């Protein structure tokens, strides 16, 4: 299993979420985050005073998935989040040791699968 961390422009979070849903991703954790990198921050004005902010707002989506799903996730995110500009974001893929569904105690890939409790 893998954990995919997707960092994108705030304006792209909903687009990425919808694109992930369209390829069958069943869920994600979404956070507002701040970061710095190549884009180096920006100058802001507040109550008439200018100040430099060295971090930029970003959106982060975390997706737990099967190993086989990573390539499709990366491809769809790059397709919808790419503006060909500095600051488009990054995708980090890490190993995921285990997942446990709190309600049922299921673990591993079984905990990633959606179940109907009919």
């Amino acid at each position: 299993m893998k954990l995919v961390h997707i960092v994108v422009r705030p304006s792209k979070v909903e687009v990425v979420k919808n694109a992930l849903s369209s390829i069958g991703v069943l869920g994600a954790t979404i956070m507002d985050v701040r970061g710095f990198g190549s884009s180096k921050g920006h100058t802001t004005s507040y109550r008439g005073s200018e100040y430099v902010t060295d971090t930029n707002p970003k959106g982060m989506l975390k997706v737990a998935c099967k190993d086989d799903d990573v390539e499709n996730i990366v491809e769809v995110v790059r397709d919808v989040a790419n503006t060909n500009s500095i600051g488009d974001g990054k995708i980090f893929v890490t190993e995921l040791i285990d997942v446990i569904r709190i309600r049922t105690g299921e673990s591993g890939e079984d905990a990633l699968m959606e179940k109907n409790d009919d």
Side-chain angles (χ1 to χ4, degrees), residues 45-117:
S45 179
Y46 179 73
R47 293 189 178 186
S49 299
E50 281 193 358
Y51 63 97
V52 175
T53 303
D54 61 354
T55 58
N56 290 309
K58 297 289 181 183
M60 178 184 280
L61 297 89
K62 290 187 178 187
V63 178
C65 65
K66 296 179 182 180
D67 292 348
D68 295 343
D69 295 335
V70 172
E71 189 175 324
N72 286 339
I73 290 170
V74 169
E75 184 178 325
V76 76
V77 170
R78 290 199 65 230
D79 285 347
V80 300
N82 184 3
T83 68
N84 286 318
S85 300
I86 291 174
D88 278 347
K90 297 267 192 306
I91 302 169
F92 303 93
V93 180
T94 60
E95 289 291 331
L96 185 56
I97 296 168
D98 203 359
V99 176
I100 296 99
R101 186 186 307 266
I102 293 172
R103 179 175 51 85
T104 63
E106 294 167 293
S107 64
E109 288 186 3
D110 289 341
L112 296 178
M113 305 301 291
E114 187 172 289
K115 301 232 177 164
N116 291 333
D117 293 336

Side-chain angles (χ1 to χ4, degrees), residues 2-6 13-14 16-21 24-31 59-65 73 77 112 114:
K2 301 284 193 253
L3 184 58
V4 183
H5 305 258
I6 303 161
V13 171
E14 282 298 313
V16 170
K17 183 187 81 157
N18 293 336
L20 290 172
S21 293
V25 172
L26 300 174
T29 300
I30 301 173
M31 297 167 276
M60 178 184 280
L61 297 89
K62 290 187 178 187
V63 178
C65 65
I73 290 170
V77 170
L112 296 178
E114 187 172 289

